[in-house]
Amino acid sequence: MISLESETPAADRLRIGDCTITLSSREVVVDGARRPRRLTPKALGVLKVLMRAPGAVVTRDELFAEVWPDTLPTNDVLTQAVTQLRKAFSRDDDAGTAYIETIAKTGYRLLQPVTALVEPTADALDAGLAPTEDERNALAATFAAAQAVPRPRSRWRRARRYVLLAIGLAMVVALLVLTALLLQRPSPNPTASGVLEDGSRVVGSPQRPYRLITATAGFETYPTVSPDGSQVAYEADDAAGGGSAVKVQTSGNAPARLLTETPAGYSDRFPNWSPNGRDIAFARFGPEASCEVLIASATGGAIRHVTRCDGTELLSFDWTPDGRGLVFGSLSGRHAHRGIRVLDIASGAWTPVNYQVADDSFDYAPRFSPDGRWIVFVRNPQIGDLWRLPAAGGQPEQLTSDSAEIRGWAWRGDSRHIVFGRRVDSEARLYELDTETRTLRDVGLDDAQSPALSRHNNMLAFVHRKAQFGLFRVPVKDGRPGTPERLFPSNGRDAQPMLAPDGRQLVFTSDRSGNYGLWWADLTRPESLRPVEGLRPETRQAADWSPDSTHLLVSGRDAQARPLIYEVSPRDEQVVALPVPVAQPLQALYAGDNDHLLVVERDHDEHMRLSLFDRRSTPWKLLGHVDGVSQARLDPGNQRVLFTRLAAGGLWSADLRLDPSSIRQVSEDRPSRWRYRTWAVARDGSLDYLSNRADCSTVFTRISAPSAGVEYCLDAQRLSAGNGFSAQPDGSALYLALAVADGADIGVMTLSEPARPVFSLVPNVLFWKGK
């Protein structure tokens, strides 16, 4: 172990990169900065250890032993010291990461060379290893103005040592640059023997661009990153099924700590880091739908109450850029409000943002841009598009028009680019949107969602969830579910099982063949299972069978990603794109026969509507419509249409003509606005709903009488898919997708700078440009 004092440079002033450090005063001067930055004694101690060997890795244990001897410090104290050093070295456009690098699971290293700034004196001319006569004359001329005072002979040796060290470091840097250039050459193709075309052997698979900082069997979700990118807070489920808590840990693999103790019977969710890095806001949910928003110190400590949010669903909030308030999306429940508002934390005063909100709109997840100019939000998460409006209010403008299943989003620090998660086929991926050019690029991460970005650098945290769902049949007797039975096992991801009215045929979506598609099987002949070629189904909408069980209506997209409705004859393997006369058809149903169709659409004004068409004429004849509908099902047993609305949770019905006078509310709270697709109608009229709670992953409820509202835990451990299931015609069984392998971890990586887009957004169309 090297002593802290043994290798301390003799000079009091040092040059590290573009910074000058004065050891005696603990000051750092950055070129161009207005004033010096002062280091704490411990931060200076860490710097002294790191600068003994620039470029070399110094372990955490070495730093603890030398800077904190005879104590038992936590990882946080070292992290804080390194964070202060980075802030001291940083310019306005970076966070000091160019000076000190974190080596995951190991320690740190100084990336910049160190040069001693020795004050020139004439006595250096007489030091050991004397220079030549010409060198003496040059030095004498240089130091003529300096006061001549005695200097030890070792000063020249030390100065020469630093010069040689700087030369050596320059050679190392040149070698590293040359190595990097060689590594950028295209990789040769491996041969079957494991030897590459250039004669070298295969070493291993390439490194992933990210690392996981959690590795448990449960769920860690909703990450938020400190402004400097050094720490991540996230929501962690209690393994014992007792709710969730907020945990904080460094962006390395250090152990996590609880932000605060969560009372028994409560869940802490949705952490959100303040712009100055000092506080974390979060929501606490409790018994009887209680909810409040709280603020805790990021280092732990007292908790402050902010506001109540009892009975709400789809709660969303974020900090204002100055850290003095919180911006909230639309609220439901006891404190319902339509539209975006800002809450001043000190006074408790609410200020609505001045903009036009449609009657059926629910504006979710609003976030200010880092420069404070814009607010971006998701309008109606059921159909999922990003909108932007000026922070002071005004006319909202639509940024995307894809009716996507958006899974979290975050601003980049440049206030121009947005990173968001989106469901694509059987997985979620991250995309980056340029809000000025309306172009997209795929970030290149599989199974990634809920992104969060630090404010001052490009540290990205996200949820990595690689769930596998399988098909199950669940018997139901007297409104009580039985034990799930696996169907057609595979290693793929299966979803949206829809049973035909004949009770024999089943279609579902899956990537079990390697490509995402629609599959068909006759349940009486398991060997009949095969894919349906010629279409790519939509992940958000399940297929609908015709009354005679011969045809299917399937939502899909064409090669330009435009939404289409296909009519499929699975036995004959025929696929036909239908000429639906609407702007964006999102779902289609048979309305009691093959000639009349119900279509859930989004029009050119972005309004949702359920329309009834007679397709025997060209163009199709519109017979009726209901506005504000997000999902629909036919109830053939009761000759009615059931539907959910954008504006609220619950369920409504109308007659088969969609007569406005026939509309009735069937259920006030089920389905919820978030789980608006997890309900099914059997031909006998039984109406079933799937949800979840803290102590049960999949809860079964029969909404219809006589057991309306009675909940049963269908599966305590496995979550059900949220994009559709079906029931046996007589209500005696359910066909659904349950997770057979699941879990979510937090991943972190440095996000590269925006590159050439691989997608383009044009009005109402998202189309693929790359391969």
Side-chain angles (χ1 to χ4, degrees):
M1 186 68 65
I2 301 174
S3 168
L4 182 63
E5 301 298 331
S6 61
E7 293 295 327
T8 301
D12 185 49
R13 297 177 68 245
L14 307 172
R15 187 72 173 173
I16 301 179
D18 295 330
C19 303
T20 301
I21 296 87
T22 303
L23 299 180
S24 59
S25 61
R26 305 197 307 276
E27 290 183 340
V28 178
V29 177
V30 180
D31 288 354
R34 296 181 179 179
R35 59 179 66 87
R37 291 95 180 258
R38 182 69 59 86
L39 299 175
T40 64
K42 293 301 184 184
L44 181 63
V46 171
L47 178 61
K48 287 182 177 180
V49 179
L50 294 176
M51 68 185 182
R52 291 177 193 156
V57 177
V58 181
T59 67
R60 287 175 171 269
D61 290 340
E62 289 177 309
L63 291 166
F64 283 140
E66 297 206 33
V67 184
W68 290 272
D70 303 321
T71 62
L72 295 174
T74 65
N75 287 322
D76 289 343
V77 297
L78 177 55
T79 300
Q80 291 172 4
V82 172
T83 299
Q84 193 202 31
L85 287 173
R86 286 173 171 158
K87 288 182 178 179
F89 289 137
S90 66
R91 294 176 175 271
D92 293 338
D93 57 350
D94 62 45
T97 52
Y99 283 78
I100 299 176
E101 180 184 12
T102 300
I103 308 301
K105 299 183 181 180
T106 306
Y108 302 91
R109 65 175 172 178
L110 187 64
L111 300 178
Q112 301 291 337
V114 180
T115 305
L117 300 179
V118 181
E119 295 296 334
T121 61
D123 191 56
L125 299 174
D126 296 324
L129 301 177
T132 63
E133 186 64 28
D134 291 339
E135 290 171 335
R136 287 177 179 272
N137 293 336
L139 287 171
T142 303
F143 301 150
Q147 182 180 359
V149 295
R151 170 174 281 186
R153 295 170 59 86
S154 62
R155 293 285 180 87
W156 172 257
R157 294 190 181 94
R158 289 189 179 119
R160 187 181 65 174
R161 181 171 58 190
Y162 286 117
V163 171
L164 293 176
L165 179 61
I167 295 174
L169 285 173
M171 295 176 65
V172 170
V173 170
L175 180 60
L176 291 174
V177 171
L178 179 61
T179 302
L181 292 174
L182 291 175
L183 289 175
Q184 291 179 359
R185 295 173 56 193
S187 300
N189 295 323
T191 64
S193 64
V195 179
L196 302 179
E197 293 176 357
D198 64 359
S200 61
R201 292 188 175 274
V202 175
V203 176
S205 59
Q207 293 291 321
R208 291 177 175 174
Y210 63 89
R211 65 180 184 277
L212 299 178
I213 62 172
T214 62
T216 67
F219 288 82
E220 284 82 30
T221 53
Y222 297 105
T224 180
V225 187
S226 61
D228 62 3
S230 66
Q231 298 183 80
V232 180
Y234 53 87
E235 176 187 327
D237 282 353
D238 185 347
S244 58
V246 175
K247 292 185 177 181
V248 182
Q249 71 181 81
T250 64
S251 52
N253 283 345
R257 61 177 174 84
L258 285 173
L259 175 67
T260 183
E261 290 292 336
T262 306
Y266 288 78
S267 291
D268 290 345
R269 307 191 63 194
F270 310 136
N272 208 309
W273 220 299
S274 66
N276 61 13
R278 298 173 185 171
D279 299 306
I280 296 176
F282 63 97
R284 174 165 290 172
F285 296 87
E288 299 180 358
S290 68
C291 170
E292 62 178 327
V293 177
L294 306 171
I295 293 177
S297 169
T299 58
I303 297 177
R304 291 178 286 161
H305 169 82
V306 178
T307 188
R308 302 295 307 184
C309 45
D310 297 331
T312 191
E313 62 171 332
L314 294 178
L315 176 67
S316 60
F317 56 90
D318 188 28
W319 292 84
T320 56
D322 59 9
R324 298 178 181 177
L326 297 175
V327 56
F328 283 78
S330 298
L331 282 177
S332 59
R334 202 172 304 167
H335 305 277
H337 179 83
R338 186 165 49 85
I340 299 171
R341 292 183 297 170
V342 175
L343 173 64
D344 181 75
I345 296 173
S347 65
W350 290 92
T351 303
V353 177
N354 183 23
Y355 73 109
Q356 187 68 35
V357 186
D359 292 339
D360 60 354
S361 289
F362 190 91
D363 294 342
Y364 176 71
R367 293 188 174 92
F368 279 95
S369 58
D371 62 9
R373 294 180 56 208
W374 302 100
I375 298 175
V376 165
F377 58 94
V378 178
R379 171 157 286 176
N380 297 322
Q382 300 98 321
I383 55 174
D385 277 309
L386 292 166
W387 291 66
R388 180 176 70 172
L389 70 124
Q395 181 66 34
E397 59 177 322
Q398 195 167 353
L399 296 177
T400 65
S401 184
D402 196 36
S403 302
E405 188 173 336
I406 292 180
R407 297 193 172 184
W409 72 274
W411 281 102
R412 263 194 188 263
D414 60 5
S415 297
R416 171 172 173 168
H417 293 86
I418 287 171
V419 178
F420 66 95
R422 183 193 187 278
R423 175 76 178 266
V424 180
D425 294 342
S426 58
E427 67 171 339
R429 299 183 65 83
L430 294 186
Y431 296 88
E432 185 172 59
L433 168 67
D434 186 328
T435 59
E436 300 303 320
T437 63
R438 308 297 172 85
T439 54
L440 285 174
R441 75 176 181 105
D442 191 322
V443 176
L445 297 179
D446 299 333
D447 299 298
Q449 56 189 295
S450 301
L453 282 159
S454 58
R455 290 177 177 265
H456 301 319
N457 55 28
N458 292 321
M459 179 57 70
L460 168 71
F462 61 93
V463 172
H464 180 267
R465 184 187 180 193
K466 193 171 184 178
Q468 179 192 352
F469 284 82
L471 299 182
F472 289 83
R473 180 184 184 274
V474 181
V476 179
K477 184 176 182 180
D478 298 328
R480 180 189 296 268
T483 303
E485 305 162 356
R486 185 80 182 269
L487 299 174
F488 307 116
S490 78
N491 292 323
R493 299 176 181 181
D494 305 328
Q496 300 172 307
M498 306 307 292
L499 187 69
D502 62 14
R504 294 179 50 184
Q505 299 178 80
L506 184 75
V507 293
F508 60 94
T509 56
S510 178
D511 64 355
R512 57 176 56 205
S513 67
N515 295 316
Y516 184 75
L518 186 72
W519 288 70
W520 171 89
D522 186 331
L523 293 176
T524 64
R525 297 186 300 111
E527 70 278 5
S528 64
L529 178 66
R530 58 176 170 76
V532 178
E533 305 292 347
L535 79 161
R536 193 183 191 94
E538 173 61 54
T539 60
R540 294 169 62 85
Q541 305 293 347
D544 184 68
W545 282 96
S546 62
D548 59 6
S549 301
T550 60
H551 293 80
L552 289 163
L553 295 176
V554 182
S555 301
R557 292 180 182 269
D558 62 12
Q560 285 73 41
R562 291 175 299 215
L564 292 175
I565 301 298
Y566 296 93
E567 189 164 36
V568 179
S569 176
R571 287 189 182 273
D572 301 333
E573 300 187 57
Q574 294 182 354
V575 178
V576 177
L578 297 181
V580 184
V582 300
Q584 292 190 60
L586 303 181
Q587 182 194 10
L589 308 167
Y590 291 99
D593 57 46
N594 287 7
D595 295 327
H596 295 84
L597 301 188
L598 292 162
V599 178
V600 176
E601 60 163 311
R602 188 166 73 165
D603 64 19
H604 292 291
D605 295 324
E606 310 305 327
H607 296 144
M608 296 287 289
R609 179 181 294 119
L610 173 64
S611 299
L612 175 64
F613 290 100
D614 183 339
R615 62 167 176 167
R616 290 175 293 184
S617 60
T618 303
W620 295 3
K621 183 178 180 181
L622 177 64
L623 302 179
H625 72 270
V626 178
D627 291 330
V629 173
S630 57
Q631 187 82 175
R633 303 272 193 273
L634 184 69
D635 181 3
N638 293 302
Q639 289 292 292
R640 61 179 180 172
V641 179
L642 297 169
F643 57 90
T644 56
R645 290 187 178 275
L646 289 172
L651 193 65
W652 285 260
S653 70
D655 64 20
L656 294 182
R657 298 175 300 158
L658 301 186
D659 185 345
S661 65
S662 69
I663 296 176
R664 302 287 186 273
Q665 187 163 13
V666 176
S667 171
E668 293 184 358
D669 57 349
R670 295 181 176 91
S672 71
R673 198 186 330 239
W674 192 244
R675 298 185 64 85
Y676 71 104
R677 291 173 294 171
T678 58
W679 55 286
V681 186
R683 296 189 71 84
D684 69 347
S686 58
L687 179 58
D688 300 325
Y689 174 57
L690 299 180
S691 59
N692 64 289
R693 61 184 187 227
D695 62 338
C696 182
S697 294
T698 299
V699 176
F700 170 85
T701 308
R702 180 149 283 179
I703 300 176
S704 53
S707 57
V710 179
E711 293 185 346
Y712 297 96
C713 185
L714 188 152
D715 198 299
Q717 303 298 325
R718 295 178 293 196
L719 288 167
S720 64
N723 54 357
F725 69 102
S726 59
Q728 194 80 21
D730 61 1
S732 63
L734 303 178
Y735 292 82
L736 67 155
L738 290 174
V740 295
D742 206 354
D745 289 303
I746 305 300
V748 296
M749 63 178 285
T750 300
L751 187 63
S752 61
E753 292 298 327
R756 182 180 65 85
V758 297
F759 297 100
S760 284
L761 283 170
V762 296
N764 297 321
V765 177
L766 171 64
F767 64 88
W768 184 271
K769 285 183 66 179
K771 294 183 179 180

